[in-house]
Amino acid sequence: MREHSSATVLPEPVILPVRHNGTAPSRTSTGIWWGLLGVAAFSFTVPLTRMAVAGLSPLFIGSGRAVVAGVLAAAALALTRQRLPQPRTWARLALVAGGVVVGFPLLTSYALTAVPAGHGAVVIALLPAATATAAILRTRERPRAAFWAVMALGSLAALAFAFLQSGGIGHLHWADLLLLGAVVCAAVGYAEGGLLARELGSWQTIAWALVLAFPPMLALAVFDLARQPPSATPAQWAAFAYLAVVSMFLGFFAWYRGLAIGPMAQVSQIQLLQPVLSICWAALLLGEAITWTTVIGGLAVILCAGAAVRVRLKPKA
């Protein structure tokens, strides 16, 4: 079978380094390290989006980053002579594109015009549990009742944090609704993308999704440029460049490769580190204060998300 065939489970051989005792590390540890690299790349997304929206419109950031990444993806696919995916695969790629190329970038860009990066990171901390839920629905798995209980508790923790930050019950900020929508979009894209990565390859999956989303995102970017030419500082342009090249493209190389090597459920738990890192970067890069509300809210959501993933991993008695 040829290396670039879409039926290949892994399009590249996984070369495992040899330890000092002469043995190779397990595939699980390899998948976790790739996943950790992807999470480290993604952890800058929220604070750098917050930085970029100070000088660029959220529509341009959400669409423009996909346009830049789409050009890189098309070039990579052409240079490596990748075959077109099977017709039945395009619908699944549309789910990935709609989730992580269109939905998450646009919704978070608009949300972060109104709330701090640390606030956004806490709400987005629901993503690991949401990804596990999307994978369950996708594979028609029947988890234990404890999974749904912990998932509900984590959702309530995120909502309670959002309410407190917005001024109390009944005062949920519109930006929090966008952040919750972004979580749903990313969860669907991550779950479907993780499954597709085992068929198309890790970077090929996000590359084809970017190519599929390129025409509508280009139209949105051109529309926004015609309406309002961008005016930003060098730091804000640098933040946009990171979002386009790393968050929208290179980060997925590592993340989807980690999910493809798997086990997917264990690798996805590494996402629990992402909100912690994002809050730290927001403090270091943006000077945002880390309040007790942020710390307590973040810990509550992260612990519930972690419990949900772990409960799912345990077999039924």
Side-chain angles (χ1 to χ4, degrees):
M1 185 172 294
R2 294 186 60 182
E3 181 181 0
H4 301 306
S5 171
S6 62
T8 307
V9 176
L10 286 174
E12 304 168 358
V14 179
I15 302 176
L16 302 179
V18 178
R19 293 183 179 143
H20 293 298
N21 60 6
T23 63
S26 67
R27 287 178 60 86
T28 297
S29 64
T30 303
I32 287 175
W33 279 111
W34 278 109
L36 183 61
L37 181 60
V39 165
F42 293 148
S43 67
F44 287 94
T45 300
V46 170
L48 291 184
T49 299
R50 176 67 175 173
M51 181 186 294
V53 295
L56 299 167
S57 76
L59 181 59
F60 176 77
I61 294 171
S63 58
R65 60 191 272 194
V67 170
V68 173
V71 172
L72 296 175
L77 290 169
L79 289 173
T80 56
R81 299 181 180 181
Q82 298 293 316
R83 290 182 177 180
L84 285 172
Q86 298 294 328
R88 57 181 175 79
T89 306
W90 286 105
R92 299 173 63 190
L93 283 169
L95 281 178
V96 178
V100 300
V101 179
V102 180
F104 186 85
L106 286 173
L107 292 175
T108 53
S109 295
Y110 277 101
L112 289 169
T113 62
V115 295
H119 179 108
V122 172
V123 178
I124 294 172
L126 273 174
L127 186 53
T131 302
T133 302
I136 285 169
L137 296 176
R138 172 68 176 82
T139 58
R140 298 180 181 179
E141 181 183 335
R142 294 183 179 180
R144 297 185 299 170
F147 171 84
W148 299 112
V150 178
M151 180 61 188
L153 189 61
S155 301
L156 289 175
L159 288 173
F161 169 81
F163 277 126
L164 288 173
Q165 292 283 290
S166 302
I169 301 299
H171 296 85
L172 187 65
H173 200 285
W174 60 266
D176 289 306
L177 297 176
L178 296 183
L179 289 171
L180 291 172
V183 167
V184 173
C185 289
V188 173
Y190 280 168
E192 193 64 45
L195 294 172
L196 269 178
R198 296 177 175 179
E199 303 175 20
L200 299 179
S202 53
W203 70 268
Q204 291 93 334
T205 298
I206 187 61
W208 285 118
L210 284 164
V211 169
L212 183 61
F214 183 83
M217 299 306 270
L218 177 62
L220 287 176
V222 171
F223 168 78
D224 191 72
L225 287 173
R227 184 189 62 173
Q228 179 183 357
S231 176
T233 65
Q236 290 161 351
W237 278 116
F240 172 80
Y242 184 95
L243 295 173
V245 177
V246 180
S247 296
M248 194 82 268
F249 189 48
L250 294 181
F252 282 98
F253 278 45
W255 178 243
Y256 279 148
R257 183 164 182 80
L259 290 176
I261 295 173
M264 186 186 298
Q266 292 182 18
V267 174
S268 66
Q269 292 182 81
I270 303 171
Q271 283 182 305
L272 298 171
L273 295 174
Q274 187 170 325
V276 178
L277 293 174
S278 295
I279 291 170
C280 292
W281 302 144
L284 291 173
L285 298 176
L286 305 176
E288 292 186 3
I290 302 178
T291 64
W292 281 110
T293 306
T294 301
V295 172
I296 295 172
L299 284 175
V301 177
I302 291 168
L303 288 174
C304 289
V309 175
R310 289 184 179 277
V311 166
R312 184 192 170 212
L313 287 175
K314 292 181 180 179
K316 293 183 180 180

